[in-house]
Amino acid sequence: MWNRLPVWQVLLWWHHLFLLWSTIDGQTRYTISEELKQGSVVGNLAKDLVLGLSEIYRRKLRITSEAGKQYFSVDLGKGELVVCERIDREELCGQRVPCILPLEIVIENPLQLHRVDIEIQDINDNSPSFLTKEKVLKIAESINPGARFPLESALDPDVAANTIRSYSINKNDNFKLNVKNHKDGSKTPELVLERSLDREKQPVHKLILTAVDGGDPVRSGTSEISIMVLDINDNAPQFERQLYEANVNENAAPGTQILRVKATDPDEGLNGKIEYAFGEQTPDSVTALFDIDSSTGVIVIKRQLNYEQTSLYKFDIVAKDKGNPDMDGHCDVEFKMIDVNDNIPEIIVTSLTTPVPEDSPIGTVIALIGAKDSDSGDNGKVRLSVSPKSPFKLNPSVSKHYTLVTNAPLNRERYSQYSIEISASDSGKPPLSSKKTIIVDVLDVNDNPPLFSQPSYTVYVKENYAPGKLLCSVSATDSDLGDNAKTSYSILESKVQDVSVSSYVYINSDNGSIYSMHSFDYEKLKVFQILVQAMDHGSPSLSSNATVHVFILDQNDNAPAVIYPSAALGSLSHQKMPRSAKAGYLVTKVTAVDADSGHNAWISYKLVEATDTSLFSVNLYTGEVRTKRAVSEQDDSSQRLLIDIQDDGVPVQSATVTLAILVEDGLHEPILDLRQKTPEPSKKSGRITLYLIISLASVSVLSLVTFVILAVKCVRNSRSSGSCCMRRDDLDGYKNPNRNLQIQLNTDGPIKYVEVLGEDMLSQSQSFRSYLSPMSEFSDFTFVKPSSTTDFKEMINVLDASLPDSAWTFESQQVRSDV
């Protein structure tokens, strides 16, 4: 069966069964024949590149070709490289052997480049042909045998074995054919005169020149040669050389002389006068670029040359005399172009990945960049570079390609976009260069937590504050973008008096506004902390915390409560006193307490009604009921007193107590006046005094040690966090014109600064200076100067009942004047 088919069809059939491929230095090569049908399989690209079929689609495999036309495509279902366009080797490569069609296979995620070379093999699909189908030669009959006459060479676009193999002419009596073989493998037929011509016998000779190629099957072409026998002018011009060669710079200016051809003719007169011209087969591309002086034979450049278009020019020159008939001679001319560095390097971005995540590791491939220079040799060698200050660098890849990779960490918050300038420079002299800018956007990654405007917040809230009202607002900013910068606020779980803090307050997750869930009672809760968290919406999310210190401000919402005398049976309290009572006799003591604090808890007593106002008085601060004079026989035995008890808040809260005092005869005084009698100290009382002195000394030492420890702790705390100050005259609701009390609190609650003043007794006041906190130089603590020792004790009792014990921590006290 194979003998019945032409050889080229057998080869084409075998191509579909077997394709030669090889991988050399990371490059894959396939060999195919030209003129394959569309859909013909070139090779299994997935298998040769070690790729799974799913990877081809997922990694976006694509093909780029320098040919400008896409001749191949990839069958994504099978991973095969197939022909999608007609391939004409002669159109692609001309006479160049081998004919290589380079392909670049680009695969992303990660970015890879594979080079695939497709070698296009020639098939004998072109027959030899002559430009001139009929050629006329004029030969003088006097020409001696052995004369040679160049004939037109046939053209065959095929190469190698498929190009022209031989020439032949039909059998005749006068001529034979000689074929000249050139160094480049080309052949030129020559007609050789074997026997002298006789115009009288045969004025015209008809010959058929046949050109045969070496393909299988053989193809051929013919040209008809008509030989006209001329009379006399028996010397043809002869060139000094059969081949003229010259090297020409491609940048030679038009008008430049290249060389001069010279022929001689021994004839005389017109028969020996020579004119030069291009041969009949000279291509138009040669006559467009070169010109020859018909009289001198000087060849000059007519237009600008280009090495990249053609590096070698071959043509023939004819020297013709003016005899009748005219005779001519022929010579060959070869011009080799010398490349000059006249092409600027071209930067080609094959693939670019943008945007790039800012957390991309060093070495991440950003782009695949190629370099192209049409010059040859060193003029075509291109180097790519990038600015060393850029966080990117270029790594050489395959086939004049570079990969652009990260060379340093990226930070979108500093630079959200990079303009990368790529420079290309060739190795010519002088070198030529070009630049190309690549824009790479940086994709935000959640690498910045939200930051609060301040690490801690201080809020003052009045007790009985209406539920649902705004306490304060916290804010945090995030330098990231989008969801990575979108912030939500929440309250971290903690306990306040064994109750979840979320029972007291809630926060708007969008804007950070904190609202109260219910009103606060200062008497139950004075200060608490809220730990607020700001969290972004990135993945993974980032967060930061801030502390909100909430101080509850006391309001005068509690009236004084009488604890003695007891009024459980009603508002009337019954007391007894002897009629023998002297002036200053202590009848009873009214004691009341107020659940409020500060001024709101300062209590004063006032006698508002009495049966006999001249008999009794009530101490303003202690509530002691004493006789103003001695009881007489005329005084009623039943006395009724109405005492009003008020606090110092705004508005004032008050309570009353009614005392029914029964004056009885013969009733002994139950209370001794210690001021009038001073009994002799016994051994037992002396021992008690010693114990008291030891106890007081121990307490003093312990207090001093405690203060030193607290002072050191305050110094450390002051360095890490500020303190909040609260002065009664600065807080809303605490505007007291008497300015009786000033308090400065630390953020954790204890009193740092206390000042007590009395407007009505300011002129008689004395100052106590004490260092209550290392944060301030000193603090003034002022007591009202009493008129007597008894009143001084009373004032101390009042102050002691009004302020918590934790407020009275002193390092030293100094009385500036005697009390």
Side-chain angles (χ1 to χ4, degrees):
M1 179 183 70
W2 305 114
N3 295 333
R4 300 175 186 174
L5 294 175
V7 175
W8 69 273
Q9 291 186 359
V10 175
L11 291 174
L12 185 61
W13 189 87
W14 273 102
H15 169 268
H16 292 284
L17 297 178
F18 178 80
L19 287 170
L20 176 64
W21 68 274
S22 62
T23 303
I24 303 174
D25 294 333
Q27 297 182 0
T28 303
R29 172 174 287 195
Y30 298 102
T31 302
I32 64 172
S33 300
E34 63 173 328
E35 303 293 348
L36 288 181
K37 293 182 179 180
Q38 293 185 9
S40 298
V41 178
V42 177
N44 194 321
L45 198 60
K47 179 179 178 182
D48 297 339
L49 298 182
V50 194
L51 293 173
L53 295 180
S54 60
E55 283 187 279
I56 294 177
Y57 178 79
R58 178 173 56 82
R59 297 182 64 183
K60 301 179 181 179
L61 184 145
R62 64 182 186 273
I63 300 174
T64 61
S65 172
E66 295 180 1
K69 189 175 182 181
Q70 198 67 272
Y71 292 97
F72 303 95
S73 62
V74 178
D75 186 340
L76 298 180
K78 300 179 180 179
E80 296 175 336
L81 185 67
V82 297
V83 178
C84 63
E85 287 288 342
R86 174 179 174 270
I87 301 175
D88 187 352
R89 193 206 67 81
E90 290 75 34
E91 180 181 347
L92 286 174
C93 301
Q95 296 295 309
R96 189 171 67 249
V97 177
C99 179
I100 303 296
L101 181 59
L103 301 180
E104 292 176 353
I105 309 299
V106 181
I107 309 173
E108 298 183 359
N109 300 322
L111 185 63
Q112 291 180 337
L113 175 70
H114 297 273
R115 182 182 176 92
V116 176
D117 289 341
I118 309 295
E119 182 178 352
I120 311 298
Q121 289 189 338
D122 184 47
I123 63 172
N124 194 23
D125 57 344
N126 293 282
S127 298
S129 61
F130 293 87
L131 293 177
T132 306
K133 293 297 184 181
E134 294 182 2
K135 181 176 179 60
V136 177
L137 284 180
K138 296 177 181 181
I139 303 176
E141 62 177 338
S142 60
I143 293 297
N144 295 323
R148 297 173 180 270
F149 304 94
L151 299 178
E152 176 186 354
S153 297
L155 300 178
D156 191 334
D158 295 324
V159 295
N162 295 324
T163 191
I164 297 173
R165 184 181 63 183
S166 61
Y167 291 90
S168 63
I169 59 171
N170 58 313
K171 188 175 181 180
N172 63 90
D173 297 332
N174 299 93
F175 298 92
K176 70 175 182 178
L177 191 66
N178 181 57
V179 179
K180 291 173 61 177
N181 294 312
H182 300 281
K183 289 186 295 183
D184 60 355
S186 61
K187 303 176 185 297
T188 301
E190 289 182 330
L191 196 61
V192 180
L193 182 64
E194 282 189 311
R195 293 181 182 179
S196 299
L197 299 175
D198 188 349
R199 188 184 64 82
E200 286 73 25
K201 288 183 178 182
Q202 188 177 352
V204 177
H205 296 264
K206 297 286 187 179
L207 301 177
I208 301 298
L209 176 62
T210 302
V212 179
D213 63 21
D216 188 5
V218 175
R219 290 177 176 269
S220 62
T222 60
S223 176
E224 183 179 333
I225 301 174
S226 298
I227 300 173
M228 299 179 64
V229 182
L230 303 176
D231 197 16
I232 50 178
N233 193 20
D234 52 355
N235 290 292
Q238 296 292 326
F239 283 94
E240 293 179 349
R241 288 183 289 171
Q242 288 299 310
L243 176 63
Y244 290 84
E245 296 177 306
N247 295 328
V248 183
N249 288 331
E250 66 169 324
N251 63 346
T256 301
Q257 294 184 5
I258 301 176
L259 57 79
R260 178 182 179 183
V261 297
K262 186 177 182 181
T264 59
D265 191 329
D267 293 327
E268 294 183 354
L270 293 177
N271 292 334
K273 191 173 183 179
I274 298 173
E275 288 184 346
Y276 300 93
F278 290 109
E280 293 181 355
Q281 300 181 45
T282 303
D284 293 340
S285 59
V286 173
T287 58
L289 296 175
F290 304 98
D291 200 1
I292 186 170
D293 190 310
S294 62
S295 59
T296 63
V298 174
I299 301 175
V300 299
I301 298 173
K302 188 160 61 173
R303 292 185 180 178
Q304 186 64 51
L305 305 178
N306 192 338
Y307 173 89
E308 288 69 41
Q309 291 183 356
T310 306
S311 61
L312 177 66
Y313 293 93
K314 294 173 60 178
F315 53 93
D316 63 329
I317 299 295
V318 176
K320 187 178 295 186
D321 61 24
K322 293 187 177 183
N324 188 12
D326 55 9
M327 301 187 72
D328 55 27
H330 299 265
C331 72
D332 294 325
V333 177
E334 287 187 5
F335 290 158
K336 293 182 180 179
M337 297 293 104
I338 299 176
D339 183 40
V340 296
N341 195 24
D342 59 345
N343 288 282
I344 296 176
E346 182 181 358
I347 301 172
I348 303 171
V349 179
T350 304
S351 179
L352 176 63
T353 301
T354 184
V356 181
E358 63 175 320
D359 62 347
S360 298
I362 296 177
T364 300
V365 178
I366 304 300
L368 186 63
I369 302 172
K372 182 180 179 182
D373 194 321
S374 301
D375 293 320
S376 61
D378 289 342
N379 297 332
K381 293 180 181 179
V382 182
R383 300 183 307 274
L384 295 184
S385 62
V386 67
S387 172
K389 296 181 180 179
S390 169
F392 302 93
K393 70 175 182 178
L394 289 169
N395 289 334
S397 184
V398 297
S399 183
K400 298 182 180 180
H401 281 78
Y402 292 78
T403 55
L404 181 67
V405 300
T406 56
N407 193 36
L410 305 179
N411 190 340
R412 188 210 61 80
E413 287 69 40
R414 291 185 61 191
Y415 301 103
S416 61
Q417 186 182 81
Y418 288 92
S419 296
I420 308 170
E421 187 176 77
I422 309 296
S423 300
S425 177
D426 60 26
S427 301
K429 293 182 180 180
L432 299 178
S433 62
S434 64
K435 295 182 180 181
K436 192 180 188 74
T437 300
I438 298 175
I439 304 299
V440 176
D441 295 317
V442 181
L443 184 66
D444 184 50
V445 173
N446 192 27
D447 56 350
N448 291 283
L451 296 178
F452 282 93
S453 58
Q454 54 193 79
S456 64
Y457 298 80
T458 302
V459 182
Y460 300 98
V461 184
K462 297 177 182 179
E463 67 172 327
N464 304 320
Y465 194 67
K469 287 193 174 182
L470 178 67
L471 296 181
C472 71
S473 292
V474 297
S475 64
T477 56
D478 195 318
S479 55
D480 292 320
L481 286 178
D483 287 342
N484 295 334
K486 188 176 181 181
T487 304
S488 294
Y489 300 90
S490 62
I491 296 178
L492 297 181
E493 181 61 30
S494 61
K495 297 291 185 179
V496 177
Q497 295 182 343
D498 296 329
V499 178
S500 174
V501 71
S502 59
S503 300
Y504 291 87
V505 294
Y506 73 92
I507 190 169
N508 187 312
S509 61
D510 295 326
N511 58 25
S513 297
I514 301 176
Y515 299 88
S516 62
M517 296 283 286
H518 55 72
S519 60
F520 300 101
D521 189 347
Y522 175 84
E523 287 70 39
K524 295 181 179 179
L525 179 64
K526 295 177 175 59
V527 62
F528 65 95
Q529 294 180 350
I530 306 170
L531 193 59
V532 180
Q533 183 180 76
M535 180 177 292
D536 59 30
H537 290 201
S539 179
S541 58
L542 300 177
S543 63
S544 62
N545 301 335
T547 302
V548 179
H549 302 277
V550 181
F551 291 90
I552 310 303
L553 304 180
D554 184 42
Q555 300 291 297
N556 193 27
D557 57 347
N558 291 281
V562 179
I563 59 175
Y564 184 84
S566 174
L569 299 178
S571 61
L572 185 63
S573 177
H574 297 274
Q575 302 291 331
K576 294 180 180 180
M577 63 173 289
R579 187 173 292 276
S580 61
K582 307 298 181 182
Y585 175 81
L586 178 62
V587 180
T588 187
K589 181 178 181 180
V590 178
T591 303
V593 294
D594 194 316
D596 294 320
S597 298
H599 276 278
N600 297 330
W602 287 15
I603 297 176
S604 60
Y605 304 87
K606 184 179 180 181
L607 181 61
V608 294
E609 290 183 11
T611 305
D612 186 352
T613 57
S614 65
L615 183 57
F616 298 97
S617 67
V618 177
N619 188 285
L620 179 65
Y621 302 108
T622 64
E624 290 181 349
V625 180
R626 293 180 182 272
T627 56
K628 296 169 66 175
R629 57 177 173 81
V631 182
S632 65
E633 293 295 333
Q634 288 79 21
D635 292 325
D636 293 338
S637 61
S638 177
Q639 299 285 333
R640 191 180 187 91
L641 306 179
L642 179 62
I643 300 174
D644 183 33
I645 306 169
Q646 293 184 348
D647 59 24
D648 197 36
V650 177
V652 174
Q653 301 275 8
S654 63
T656 60
V657 62
T658 303
L659 300 179
I661 301 175
L662 179 63
V663 181
E664 297 181 353
D665 295 327
L667 184 66
H668 297 286
E669 296 183 15
I671 301 176
L672 297 177
D673 192 347
L674 297 179
R675 293 173 295 181
Q676 297 177 5
K677 292 183 179 182
T678 305
E680 278 186 357
S682 64
K683 291 184 180 180
K684 185 175 181 179
S685 63
R687 188 176 301 171
I688 292 175
T689 303
L690 177 62
Y691 290 158
L692 287 175
I693 293 174
I694 294 174
S695 298
L696 290 173
S698 300
V699 172
S700 299
V701 172
L702 182 60
S703 299
L704 179 60
V705 172
T706 303
F707 171 75
V708 171
I709 294 174
L710 291 177
V712 172
K713 183 178 178 182
C714 288
V715 169
R716 291 178 179 176
N717 290 339
S718 65
R719 293 175 181 173
S720 60
S721 64
S723 63
C724 64
C725 295
M726 180 181 72
R727 298 179 62 92
R728 279 183 68 104
D729 55 349
D730 293 337
L731 300 177
D732 185 21
Y734 280 77
K735 304 293 184 179
N736 193 330
N738 294 329
R739 195 168 171 264
N740 293 320
L741 177 63
Q742 294 182 0
I743 303 175
Q744 187 172 350
L745 297 177
N746 280 319
T747 54
D748 54 356
I751 296 176
K752 182 175 72 173
Y753 172 81
V754 177
E755 182 178 8
V756 179
L757 296 173
E759 182 180 6
D760 54 340
M761 293 176 286
L762 189 57
S763 60
Q764 305 178 26
S765 65
Q766 299 296 325
S767 296
F768 287 77
R769 179 173 297 173
S770 60
Y771 292 87
L772 299 179
S773 170
M775 295 299 292
S776 60
E777 181 182 355
F778 64 89
S779 301
D780 288 336
F781 194 94
T782 305
F783 287 108
V784 176
K785 182 177 180 181
S787 58
S788 65
T789 304
T790 303
D791 293 340
F792 176 77
K793 293 180 179 178
E794 292 174 357
M795 289 300 300
I796 291 296
N797 290 334
V798 172
L799 190 59
D800 186 50
S802 303
L803 295 176
D805 294 336
S806 60
W808 313 115
T809 303
F810 300 95
E811 182 182 20
S812 63
Q813 294 183 351
Q814 180 178 1
V815 181
R816 301 181 190 170
S817 60
D818 295 334
V819 178

